[in-house]
Amino acid sequence: MDHLVSTSLLAADLNNLEKEVLMINRSKSDWLHLDIMDGVFVPNISFGFPVIEHVKKITEKPLDVHLMIVDPDRYISRFCDAGAGILTVQYEACIHLQRTVTEIRALGMKAGVALNPHTPVSLLKNIIPYIDMVLIMTVNPGFGGQSFIIESYNKIRELRKMIDAAGYNVFVEVDGGIDTTNSAKLIDTGVDVLVAGSSVFGSDDPAETIRRLKDLD
Ligand code: DX5
Ligand code: ZN
């Protein structure tokens, strides 16, 4: 399968939200990644439902919604109504994870589970049959613009092996510090979806950077 690129709006110019979303529409980005932070699970607060609903009206790309919030069960149906296509919860925030991902799928969304850098891949063994994607956090969640954690390559290798051995069709997504210098190696290591924020919006030509992440050149 060709890998996907999910452009993270966190680093976009929110004064020009519409322009940024239209740029993503015209680009080779496959998905649009939205980071939802509650100031409790992570030491930062990002955007909520009004922003998601606004983006949904403009975007032509599936919304890849990454919840960095405690107790995400409370909001699953609201994120569905707001337009999420893929809804990812943090492993560390869920007590009854199987119930959570089953509910996400029952509403017609794809279900993802994100792992913080310190959380071992082996903990996912019994949830793989119930999910569509694993998001390996390659930085500690909460902020854009951080440096990629090198140990992530070992986690990706281990996860890819686990998914392939189990025989399920589960995407591997990476998020944090992704740019054109590490994208090809990440895909070689077994990644399906690259999330990129700062490297896209911090570049002179964001659409061209997305194209390079997609074409790996
Ligand atoms: C970090 C977020 C990321 C963030 C990545 O907590 O989950 O999605 O936007 O940003 P960059 O690409 O700047 O590392
Ligand atoms: Zn994210």
Side-chain angles (χ1 to χ4, degrees), residues 5 15 17 26 75 80 90 93 117 119-120 122-123 126-127 140 152 155 170 172 186 194 197-198 215:
V5 174
N15 281 321
L17 187 61
R26 287 190 301 268
Y75 299 105
C80 184
Q90 287 281 155
T119 305
S122 56
L123 290 172
N126 298 96
I127 203 73
N140 283 290
S152 308
K155 290 183 78 172
V170 176
V172 177
L186 286 162
L194 300 169
S198 301
D215 296 343

Side-chain angles (χ1 to χ4, degrees), residues 8 10 33 35 37 66 68 137 141-145 175-177 195-198:
S8 171
L10 193 64
H33 186 87
D35 289 299
M37 305 179 184
H66 175 195
M68 285 156 276
M137 284 309 298
F143 303 94
D175 184 7
V195 176
S198 301

Side-chain angles (χ1 to χ4, degrees), residues 7-11 33-37 42 66 68 90 135 137-148 174-179 195-200:
T7 304
S8 171
L9 216 54
L10 193 64
H33 186 87
L34 284 174
D35 289 299
I36 312 301
M37 305 179 184
V42 287
H66 175 195
M68 285 156 276
Q90 287 281 155
L135 168 51
M137 284 309 298
T138 45
V139 298
N140 283 290
F143 303 94
Q146 303 180 81
S147 304
F148 178 87
V174 284
D175 184 7
I178 311 301
D179 58 26
V195 176
S198 301
S199 68
V200 169

Side-chain angles (χ1 to χ4, degrees), residues 54-109:
H54 187 60
V55 169
K56 179 66 186 171
K57 280 189 201 138
I58 313 167
T59 190
E60 292 163 5
K61 311 284 179 172
L63 290 186
D64 173 30
V65 178
H66 175 195
L67 301 185
M68 285 156 276
I69 65 174
V70 296
D71 202 5
D73 301 68
R74 295 169 59 192
Y75 299 105
I76 292 172
S77 63
R78 287 199 61 191
F79 282 108
C80 184
D81 295 344
I86 304 107
L87 192 63
T88 296
V89 294
Q90 287 281 155
Y91 177 90
E92 304 81 6
C94 297
I95 299 173
H96 303 290
L97 183 59
Q98 198 270 353
R99 180 188 290 151
T100 305
V101 294
T102 301
E103 195 183 330
I104 292 172
R105 280 179 150 186
L107 290 172
M109 296 176 284

